[in-house]
Amino acid sequence: IEFIVGSRKTSNFYWAFILFFGSLGFLLIGTSSYLGRNLISLFRSQQIVFFPQEIVMSFYGIAGLFISSYLWCTIFWNIGSGYDRFDKKEGIVCIFRWGFPGKN
């Protein structure tokens, strides 16, 4: 029996964290420009014009949060994990993988 890791790889955790915090930053900068307040003290939101730059940044932030949530769901459900079973006596190979919950 050979076990397969699936989506709980270190690289998936890395990209999910990077994507979440990056898109959250984009969304916070867009929101702070719209409100006229500094929600993040490192950047001055008054220097960036809301239309069209911050609308695009807000859109990228929202899209990134959706993609990040997809990555976190696949990590949580551990999509693609399973095992391979090799029976040399019988000459049988059994490949078992987890899919989305309720779809196995």
Side-chain angles (χ1 to χ4, degrees), residues 80-91:
S81 67
Y83 60 89
D84 298 337
R85 185 170 55 108
F86 304 102
D87 190 354
K88 292 183 180 180
K89 291 180 184 176
E90 307 254 342

Side-chain angles (χ1 to χ4, degrees), residues 3 6 10 12 24 26 30 33 37 42 54 63 68 71 88 94 99:
F3 292 100
T10 307
N12 286 352
L24 189 64
F26 269 61
S33 175
R37 296 181 185 165
L42 298 175
E54 292 304 322
S68 173
L71 282 174
K88 292 183 180 180
C94 179

Side-chain angles (χ1 to χ4, degrees), residues 38-81:
N38 287 333
L39 297 177
I40 299 177
S41 62
L42 298 175
F43 302 106
R44 301 181 96 180
S45 62
Q46 291 83 9
Q47 292 178 345
I48 302 174
V49 180
F50 180 72
F51 185 80
Q53 295 168 340
E54 292 304 322
I55 291 176
V56 172
M57 286 184 75
S58 298
F59 172 74
Y60 285 152
I62 292 169
L65 287 176
F66 278 118
I67 296 170
S68 173
S69 66
Y70 169 77
L71 282 174
W72 283 113
C73 286
T74 58
I75 290 170
F76 178 73
W77 291 325
N78 202 12
I79 304 298
S81 67

Side-chain angles (χ1 to χ4, degrees), residues 9-19 72 75:
K9 298 177 184 175
T10 307
S11 63
N12 286 352
F13 280 101
Y14 170 78
W15 286 114
F17 271 115
I18 293 296
L19 188 60
W72 283 113
I75 290 170

